[in-house]
Amino acid sequence: MRITLLGLSNNSGALILESIRSRHPTASVTVIENVPRTSDAPFLPPGLDVSFVQAEGLEHPPEGIMMIGALKPAAKRGIWEFFQRKWDLDVGSLGCIIHPHSTIAATASIGNGVYIEPGCVISPFAALGTMVTVNRGVTIGHHSRIGDRTMINPGCHVAGHVSVGEDVQLGMGALVFDHVRIGDGAVVGGGSVVTRDVPAGVLAYGNPCRVIKELER
């Protein structure tokens, strides 16, 4: 199997490549980088065939499953826009990496370019948009909606009928109660207990979660 990662950071690289090795131990992984590499990639897991190439000069991406190799919303957006312009890509060309030790309900909807780590539970009728990151140990409740490029950090629990916008970051261990709405671009701090709606474009945290400040856009 051939897997192409568009861009990769040292922080996300170890997680993504280890997940690939867990599910596809004999995969051949090509990382196409849009910026010069600043390290020798010490995060590479043993036994996985990984090669790094620069996007400059490549007329077309290699064949195989294609995915954005970053976890945070801003990085995902930037990398995707670069390669979309370069190769006129459609979001339908992105594949998913879902760790085999996660549980995905048969009625859940998973968008293109989604990355799901081990120990996650995606409940019935939940819907994940494109390029969503779901870190280890996360639970997403029934009928909840997660917007494009949103990053859900380890140990978060999102209850049922929750609406999370695009480019949102939920900090580690955050608890989001049922029927709450979180607006686009909001950042919810780790350990927060979200019992009411969070507006778009704000930093919010605490128990109960409250708005701290507006974020620059």
Side-chain angles (χ1 to χ4, degrees):
M1 173 175 290
R2 295 183 178 181
I3 298 174
T4 299
L5 298 179
L6 303 179
L8 194 67
S9 71
N10 286 7
N11 290 336
S12 64
L15 299 173
I16 292 175
L17 292 173
E18 184 58 39
S19 287
I20 291 174
R21 187 178 73 160
S22 296
R23 186 160 189 177
H24 308 291
T26 60
S28 174
V29 181
T30 301
V31 181
I32 304 179
E33 302 191 290
N34 56 321
V35 294
R37 171 157 293 280
T38 57
S39 78
D40 59 357
F43 52 79
L44 296 181
L48 191 64
D49 178 18
V50 184
S51 59
F52 292 84
V53 298
Q54 290 293 322
E56 183 179 355
L58 288 177
E59 294 185 7
H60 303 285
E63 296 179 357
I65 297 173
M66 197 174 347
M67 184 181 165
I68 304 297
L71 301 182
K72 293 185 177 180
K76 280 183 179 289
R77 181 186 288 273
I79 291 172
W80 171 245
E81 289 178 351
F82 174 88
F83 286 103
Q84 188 180 39
R85 289 193 304 269
K86 181 174 179 61
W87 289 320
D88 193 28
L89 296 177
D90 181 85
V91 73
S93 61
L94 293 177
C96 296
I97 296 177
I98 300 175
H99 198 280
H101 294 158
S102 283
T103 302
I104 315 295
T107 54
S109 173
I110 306 296
N112 293 92
V114 167
Y115 171 64
I116 300 177
E117 287 196 345
C120 296
V121 176
I122 313 298
S123 301
F125 302 103
L128 277 58
T130 62
M131 294 179 267
V132 171
T133 297
V134 184
N135 281 277
R136 64 184 59 237
V138 167
T139 299
I140 298 177
H142 61 91
H143 296 89
S144 287
R145 300 289 183 267
I146 310 298
D148 296 347
R149 295 172 302 278
T150 283
M151 178 178 180
I152 305 178
N153 279 289
C156 287
H157 176 74
V158 178
H161 294 280
V162 170
S163 176
V164 178
E166 297 181 356
D167 301 308
V168 171
Q169 294 187 62
L170 297 183
M172 185 179 297
L175 217 58
V176 184
F177 276 46
D178 56 290
H179 293 89
V180 163
R181 304 178 70 88
I182 299 177
D184 295 347
V187 176
V188 175
S192 296
V193 178
V194 188
T195 59
R196 61 182 65 184
D197 293 355
V198 175
V202 302
L203 170 65
Y205 58 78
N207 180 9
C209 186
R210 64 190 186 280
V211 174
I212 303 301
K213 66 176 182 179
E214 292 189 6
L215 299 171
E216 295 183 5
R217 294 198 176 186

